[in-house]
Amino acid sequence: MSADTPHTKLNEEKAREQLIDLAAEFYDQFEHGDIPEMTLPTRTKSNIVFDEEAGVWVYGDRTSTRSANSVRGARKLLKAVYAVEFLAQQLDEDRSSTLRELYYLSESWDSEEAQFTSQDESNQLIEDLEIVSGVTREDFHMRPEESGAKVMGPLRIREQTRRGDRDIHCQEDVGQGGYQIPNNPDTIEFLDNDAEFVLCVETGGMRDRLVENGFDVDYDSIVVHLGGQPARATRRLTKRLHDELDLPVVVFCDGDPWSYRIYGSVAYGSIKSAHLSEYLATPEARYVGIRPQDIVDYDLPTDPLADSDVNALESELEDPRFKTDFWEEQIELQLDIGKKAEQQALAAQGLDFVTDTYLPERLGDMGVL
């Protein structure tokens, strides 16, 4: 038996009800002689709009319809029905599975037409079911593969596991690797903390440097390793640390267009998960660096921008997430100097430069320290 909180149990019950309701809707369409269909928001950049009240980017009003009036559409709905049946049974049995396992599980379904041709297809179907049901895949008991993201800092939590509750201090009770973020961070209870802010760090190398240098101890910071493009669990935990503990969130990435998008996904959400922006995004998160201006000010070691980098930067100038004076100025500067730099480039000034000088001065200027 799992050790779920009443809140997560309620979500799981809602998830099962919504899945059954979706199946019943298909049945009703058949019974009334209607062609079965499922309507979803169009998941493109052109259908992303800014929600002024929530402060995040969400899907707009444009929709697309999955209909059984074509062979291709009928196959998609058939796969959805098989997936709904599997997920409802999984919840009944209080089991869980990974997205990868779902892809392979379809091989055992009695209709070959219902089997997935790729994991991308099964992943997208789960996202579709999230959208039409209004609940998250975590409440379906669907897990991604382990992201490996970790937390280190002055935070005491209670983690619910199948072996009972476990109280953990994310400095005192963990090794140098830190506390690994679980698939569903809503099963974590925050007990106590002495933190002043949350520092989200893109790369494992920089995260290790900060921990080795004692940055989390010296500045009472919770260091969250993003692990590249952050997993949903990482973004959800970051949002909870901000919303529930009232901690400022700052993001520290490489100085290239792909890393700016990592910041964008933390702060404003992404096209892929725009239906969950209010659940995952932290619009108050601020960008520490690396900034193009840092390349100039600190004479950092750099690499030249590739054509793909230039194209990405130009695209970001049109991206609503980066429509601010700060980002337009920094992106224009980067295009002008034609260079990019990694976080670890700060080591050219010494291994302690990032923790003794760069971050304290930057965070001080930002009013975080």
Side-chain angles (χ1 to χ4, degrees), residues 253-354:
C253 296
D254 287 339
D256 63 55
W258 318 106
S259 297
Y260 307 153
R261 294 180 187 187
I262 288 173
Y263 160 74
S265 71
V266 172
Y268 306 117
S270 62
I271 291 174
K272 187 177 178 63
S273 59
H275 59 293
L276 296 173
S277 288
E278 292 186 49
Y279 174 80
L280 298 176
T282 308
E284 299 83 2
R286 300 165 67 190
Y287 188 73
V288 173
I290 298 291
R291 305 176 181 180
Q293 189 64 51
D294 295 334
I295 295 174
V296 177
D297 292 346
Y298 297 106
D299 192 24
L300 296 179
T302 60
D303 292 310
L305 293 177
D307 290 344
S308 59
D309 296 323
V310 172
N311 291 337
L313 288 168
E314 290 175 345
S315 175
E316 284 166 359
L317 286 173
E318 303 302 319
D319 189 321
R321 295 176 297 177
F322 298 97
K323 282 287 187 181
T324 66
D325 290 343
F326 166 79
W327 279 110
E328 289 178 0
E329 178 182 311
Q330 290 298 310
I331 291 172
E332 292 284 6
L333 173 61
Q334 188 152 34
L335 287 168
D336 184 52
I337 62 177
K339 298 175 181 178
K340 58 185 177 182
E342 298 180 358
Q343 293 177 301
Q344 282 88 339
L346 293 167
Q349 309 266 0
L351 290 178
D352 299 333
F353 178 75
V354 65

Side-chain angles (χ1 to χ4, degrees), residues 123-138:
N123 287 356
Q124 183 168 327
L125 176 57
I126 292 297
E127 291 165 12
D128 290 346
L129 293 178
E130 283 184 315
I131 293 171
V132 296
S133 68
V135 294
T136 69
R137 72 183 183 203
E138 288 79 11

Side-chain angles (χ1 to χ4, degrees), residues 136-197:
T136 69
R137 72 183 183 203
E138 288 79 11
D139 296 322
F140 294 152
H141 287 192
M142 289 302 302
R143 297 177 281 111
E145 302 308 311
E146 295 295 340
S147 69
K150 307 286 183 63
V151 172
M152 178 71 83
L155 172 70
R156 187 179 299 278
I157 63 171
R158 176 164 295 149
E159 180 185 52
Q160 289 138 11
T161 74
R162 288 183 176 271
R163 293 174 295 280
D165 291 351
R166 192 167 62 123
D167 291 1
I168 303 168
H169 191 283
C170 295
Q171 282 173 326
E172 298 170 3
D173 300 331
V174 298
Q176 286 287 96
Y179 167 73
Q180 181 158 325
I181 301 172
N183 170 60
N184 186 0
D186 285 347
T187 61
I188 295 174
E189 179 184 355
F190 298 140
L191 300 179
D192 190 23
N193 82 94
D194 296 310
E196 296 294 329
F197 63 98

